[in-house]
Amino acid sequence: MAASNYSLKVNRDLLDPKFESYRLSLDAIPTYNVELDAAVEEDKLKDTQYTLEHMRAFGMYNYLHLDPWYEDSVLFVDCKGRVLSLTVTLDSALGKPKEVYRISEEPGRSEDNLCSSLSLTSSTWAALSDGRGRLYLLRTGKRGDGLHTKWEPLFVEDTGEPFTILHSVSHVQAGVHIVEVLLLRIQKDPQEAAGSGYYVSLEWITVSNTAAHGQEKKYEVSKRRLLRGKSVPHYAAVEPQGKGLMVASEKPFIFTHVDGRPVELPEPEPMEVDKIEPIYFWQQTAEDITVCLRMPKGLTKEEVQFRLSSDDLSIGVQGFPPLLEGQLFASVDPEASAWIIKNEKSLEVTLQKRTEGPMWPELVMGDKRGEFVMSDEQAALIHERLTHLTSEDLNGNVDRDKPPCNSQELEDCDGYPEDSFTLAHFDEISLKPTQVVNLGGHQYLFTVDVDPSEMPCLCIRHDVDALFGSLVLISLGTCGSTSLRSMLSATFRHPSGTKKFLCCSPDHDFSYACLCECFRRTFFYRQPSPVETVLFNRKQGRQVGQVAKQQVASLESDKPILGFRATNERLFILTSTNLFVLKVNNN
C-alpha cells in the first residue's frame, strides 16, 4: 500500500498577531556552579570524520541527558566511564553528582570509538552505549528517590561497530517485557564513488525477556531491523508500543535487512499514466488571484455553492460534493472578492490578497488538480532576470586562467538537499512508510520530551520574517495503520542567529525558550506576560498589556558548552569541567 501524504495545518488561533518584539530585561538569573571531579568524556571529530553528517551526528552531540520521568534530574558520562546523576531539590545546596553505574574499562581506545550515549527508556530502565560498540540495558530502579541506587545490567551485547543511541522505549506485550532501542551509525560505502562515500545506518533492535514465569530474567535480541539513508535524521523515535518508527530527515530512509536477511522490495511495474486534465486554471498578480473552474454546461447562479472566508475556499454545485475545497495558501479579503459565471460552463473567481506582493506557489494547500497559467508579462520578467545566468559560451568565466567549478569538489553542506524535509511513519510489520508529512521550508530546531509516555515533540520554524520567526511545536500521537495524529501544540518566537543548542521548558504553556552559543552566553525568551505598570506603544499610540522578555546569562567559564537541557524551573548547562544550574522560574 502506498504511503499517504499529509500536510500540517497551522492552528492560527495559537499565533499572536499582536506580537511586536522582545524587550531586553536586565533581571539577573541566579546561577549555581558544580565543579566536576573528572572531565566529561568528550569525543572530538577525527580526520576521517569529515562529512556534514559526522558533524551533525557527533560534533553537535548533547552530552547532558534530562530524566523526563523525574523533574530536575540530569545525567552524563565522565572520562572515567562513570554514569553520574544530579537531582536538584535546593539550588543553594547543590551536592556532587552521584555515580549510578560504571562502564567496564577496555585497554586502549580505537580511532573509531565514539562518546558514550544514554537513553532513559522508562522510569526504571535505561539504555547505554560505551562508544565502542557495546549496548547495555540497565534496570535502574526508581531514579527520583534521591538514593542514587546502583544500576543493574540485565543485557549486554557487543554489536561490533560503535554507535550512538537515538531513542529507546519499554513496554509489555502478552506479559513479556520488551525494550526497543534505536541506534545510529555512519558507515563507509566502498561501492559509492561519488559524494562523501558514507551512508547513515539506523538499527532498530527489539530485546525481550525470554525467561519462563518464575525464573530469573533473561533478555535476548528477538528482532533486528536495518534502515539506510543519506542524511542524519533530525528526529527519530520508536512508538510507545513498538508498532512503528517515526523519522524526520532531509533524505528518505528504507529498510534493507531484517534479522540479517535482505528486505526484498517489489519493483514498481512500469505503467503508462494518462495525463489528467486540470479541473481549474489560475493566475495571479501581486494584488489578486483569478481562478477559472470547469462547471456543468447551463449552470445557473442559484446552483452555485460558494463559500469563502479569509483562509478557506469551497466551490461546488448544489446537490454534489465540492469541486474545490480547502485551506488557501495565504489569507484573502472576502469582502473584496467576487465570482461570475462565464459562457454558461465555467466559473471565474477573483480573490483579493490580504497581503500584497508575495506570490503563491499553490492556490489550495495540497491540491494538485489545478494548473497555474503564467501571464506573458510575468514570463518576460522571469526571462529578463535569468538572462545573466545563461551564456552561449560553455565556460562563461571571463578569467580563463581559473577552471570552472567542479561539482564533485563541493562538500555536502554546499549543496541544496536533493529531497525535501519529510516526517515519515514506518509500519513495524510491512516496513514501509504509511504516512509522510512534507516539512519542506520548515527548519528543524529541537526535540523536547513533554510527556515521557509518548514520543518526543518535534519543534520546527514557521513563517520567518525579517527578524523573528514562530516556532511550531508538534506533538506526535500514536500512529495507526491509516491515520497520523499530529497537532500544533504551542508557538513562541525567537530571533534568528547562530546557536549550538536550543530547547524550551516542557511545561504545558512552554513558558520559555532558550539557546546558547558555543561559549558562555545563553539567551532566554519568555512567553508574553502582563506588565505591572502602564506601558504605551509610541508608534501606534495604544496601551501595551503584555510584554515578552529577553534575558541574557553569561557563564563564568571559558570551556565549550557540551550539554544543554531545560526543565520547567531550571536550565542545566554542562561544560567539560562544570555543571551550571540556572534558576529560570520560581514555581
Side-chain angles (χ1 to χ4, degrees):
M1 183 177 63
S4 301
N5 292 307
Y6 290 78
S7 59
L8 296 179
K9 183 176 181 180
V10 176
N11 184 350
R12 298 183 184 275
D13 294 336
L14 294 177
L15 300 178
D16 185 8
K18 297 181 181 179
F19 183 89
E20 297 178 354
S21 63
Y22 285 102
R23 303 293 176 90
L24 180 63
S25 171
L26 300 180
D27 295 340
I29 296 179
T31 303
Y32 306 91
N33 180 15
V34 177
E35 293 187 3
L36 306 181
D37 297 332
V40 176
E41 184 193 19
E42 181 182 1
D43 180 70
K44 297 182 179 180
L45 295 180
K46 287 76 173 180
D47 292 339
T48 56
Q49 299 172 330
Y50 56 84
T51 69
L52 177 62
E53 306 313 319
H54 285 98
M55 174 58 71
R56 287 177 173 174
F58 313 130
M60 300 295 291
Y61 184 74
N62 196 332
Y63 289 81
L64 192 61
H65 307 278
L66 180 67
D67 195 333
W69 278 271
Y70 304 101
E71 190 171 7
D72 293 309
S73 180
V74 292
L75 302 99
F76 61 93
V77 181
D78 68 4
C79 61
K80 297 181 179 180
R82 299 180 300 172
V83 179
L84 300 175
S85 173
L86 176 68
T87 301
V88 178
T89 54
L90 184 63
D91 299 271
S92 59
L94 294 176
K96 290 287 186 179
K98 302 296 183 181
E99 178 183 335
V100 294
Y101 187 75
R102 185 186 288 261
I103 301 173
S104 59
E105 295 184 4
E106 295 287 342
R109 184 172 178 86
S110 170
E111 283 292 325
D112 297 330
N113 289 349
L114 304 173
C115 64
S116 300
S117 56
L118 176 69
S119 174
L120 299 168
T121 306
S122 69
S123 60
T124 56
W125 281 80
L128 175 67
S129 163
D130 66 353
R132 302 176 177 89
R134 188 169 296 171
L135 173 65
Y136 300 81
L137 295 185
L138 306 163
R139 184 165 57 185
T140 66
K142 292 186 177 180
R143 301 185 293 272
D145 54 11
L147 300 178
H148 300 287
T149 306
K150 295 292 184 179
W151 295 0
E152 177 186 5
L154 293 183
F155 173 85
V156 181
E157 182 186 77
D158 192 345
T159 64
E161 297 183 61
F163 59 85
T164 57
I165 302 176
L166 293 182
H167 188 240
S168 63
V169 295
S170 171
H171 61 97
V172 177
Q173 183 176 339
V176 178
H177 180 230
I178 299 174
V179 178
E180 314 277 356
V181 188
L182 188 61
L183 314 179
L184 167 71
R185 297 183 180 91
I186 298 181
Q187 297 176 306
K188 190 73 175 178
D189 188 354
Q191 298 180 351
E192 183 179 350
S196 66
Y198 287 90
Y199 69 92
V200 180
S201 172
L202 299 181
E203 184 175 10
W204 177 7
I205 299 178
T206 300
V207 181
S208 306
N209 179 18
T210 58
H213 181 70
Q215 296 182 353
E216 185 178 356
K217 294 182 181 296
K218 182 181 179 181
Y219 286 85
E220 296 180 352
V221 175
S222 57
K223 198 168 188 178
R224 298 179 186 270
R225 315 159 193 84
L226 286 178
L227 297 90
R228 177 168 173 159
K230 290 296 294 181
S231 65
V232 171
H234 294 296
Y235 174 97
V238 183
E239 284 192 56
Q241 297 300 317
K243 299 297 184 182
L245 179 69
M246 298 289 292
V247 178
S249 60
E250 294 178 0
K251 299 182 181 180
F253 278 81
I254 59 171
F255 279 88
T256 60
H257 293 79
V258 175
D259 294 330
R261 299 186 301 271
V263 175
E264 296 182 0
L265 299 177
E267 293 291 337
E269 297 181 1
M271 57 183 299
E272 295 182 1
V273 180
D274 296 332
K275 184 178 179 180
I276 302 176
E277 292 293 331
I279 67 170
Y280 66 92
F281 298 87
W282 64 292
Q283 288 184 318
Q284 65 175 320
T285 64
E287 297 81 18
D288 56 35
I289 290 177
T290 302
V291 185
C292 186
L293 188 69
R294 298 172 181 267
M295 304 293 276
K297 191 173 182 178
L299 181 73
T300 62
K301 64 179 182 179
E302 289 79 13
E303 297 174 311
V304 175
Q305 297 289 321
F306 183 85
R307 187 178 73 255
L308 177 65
S309 65
S310 59
D311 298 313
D312 297 278
L313 171 68
S314 178
I315 304 175
V317 179
Q318 187 176 6
F320 296 92
L323 296 173
L324 178 61
E325 185 178 35
Q327 180 187 4
L328 294 169
F329 178 79
S331 298
V332 298
D333 184 1
E335 299 297 329
S337 304
W339 61 269
I340 60 172
I341 298 176
K342 298 189 68 176
N343 303 326
E344 297 184 351
K345 61 179 180 180
S346 65
L347 188 73
E348 185 176 292
V349 181
T350 302
L351 303 176
Q352 186 71 33
K353 294 182 179 179
R354 191 175 292 275
T355 302
E356 295 184 4
M359 304 301 283
W360 294 12
E362 57 183 343
L363 177 64
V364 174
M365 299 286 285
D367 193 295
K368 307 299 183 184
R369 300 172 300 164
E371 180 178 323
F372 176 70
V373 181
M374 188 179 298
S375 65
D376 295 338
E377 293 79 5
Q378 291 172 333
L381 179 61
I382 292 176
H383 177 74
E384 180 181 353
R385 290 178 176 178
L386 296 179
T387 301
H388 72 286
L389 299 178
T390 63
S391 173
E392 295 181 358
D393 189 359
L394 182 61
N395 182 3
N397 189 354
V398 295
D399 191 349
R400 300 294 180 178
D401 296 332
K402 295 182 180 181
C405 175
N406 185 352
S407 61
Q408 295 182 354
E409 297 176 355
L410 295 177
E411 296 290 341
D412 291 344
C413 57
D414 296 326
Y416 191 81
E418 296 177 3
D419 304 286
S420 60
F421 178 28
T422 59
L423 174 65
H425 170 260
F426 292 89
D427 180 67
E428 188 270 339
I429 298 177
S430 67
L431 306 179
K432 297 179 180 179
T434 57
Q435 294 96 15
V436 177
V437 178
N438 183 10
L439 298 178
H442 299 285
Q443 179 192 4
Y444 167 82
L445 294 171
F446 62 90
T447 301
V448 59
D449 286 300
V450 176
D451 183 353
S453 63
E454 295 288 345
M455 286 183 289
C457 291
L458 174 69
C459 185
I460 59 177
R461 184 193 296 269
H462 172 72
D463 280 353
V464 179
D465 56 34
L467 293 176
F468 297 91
S470 298
L471 307 188
V472 178
L473 195 64
I474 306 170
S475 61
L476 304 173
T478 303
C479 296
S481 58
T482 59
S483 64
L484 171 64
R485 294 191 298 157
S486 59
M487 63 180 180
L488 170 66
S489 48
T491 61
F492 45 91
R493 290 177 176 243
H494 80 93
S496 302
T498 58
K499 64 175 178 58
K500 182 172 184 180
F501 297 117
L502 195 155
C503 61
C504 73
S505 61
D507 48 359
H508 68 282
D509 58 351
F510 307 98
S511 58
Y512 72 92
C514 51
L515 62 88
C516 71
E517 297 176 338
C518 295
F519 295 89
R520 292 183 180 273
R521 292 200 303 176
T522 300
F523 302 85
F524 297 85
Y525 306 94
R526 299 181 182 271
Q527 293 277 24
S529 59
V531 294
E532 299 178 354
T533 58
V534 178
L535 184 65
F536 281 88
N537 184 314
R538 296 180 179 179
K539 293 183 178 180
Q540 300 181 3
R542 61 177 178 83
Q543 184 174 349
V544 178
Q546 290 185 325
V547 170
K549 293 183 179 180
Q550 174 193 2
Q551 293 172 278
V552 182
S554 183
L555 304 179
E556 295 182 358
S557 173
D558 58 355
K559 304 292 185 181
I561 295 177
L562 302 179
F564 195 74
R565 300 290 182 181
T567 67
N568 297 337
E569 297 184 17
R570 298 173 178 89
L571 176 69
F572 295 85
I573 303 178
L574 180 69
T575 68
S576 59
T577 57
N578 298 81
L579 177 59
F580 295 91
V581 181
L582 285 71
K583 185 71 171 180
V584 183
N585 289 327
N586 293 308
N587 295 335

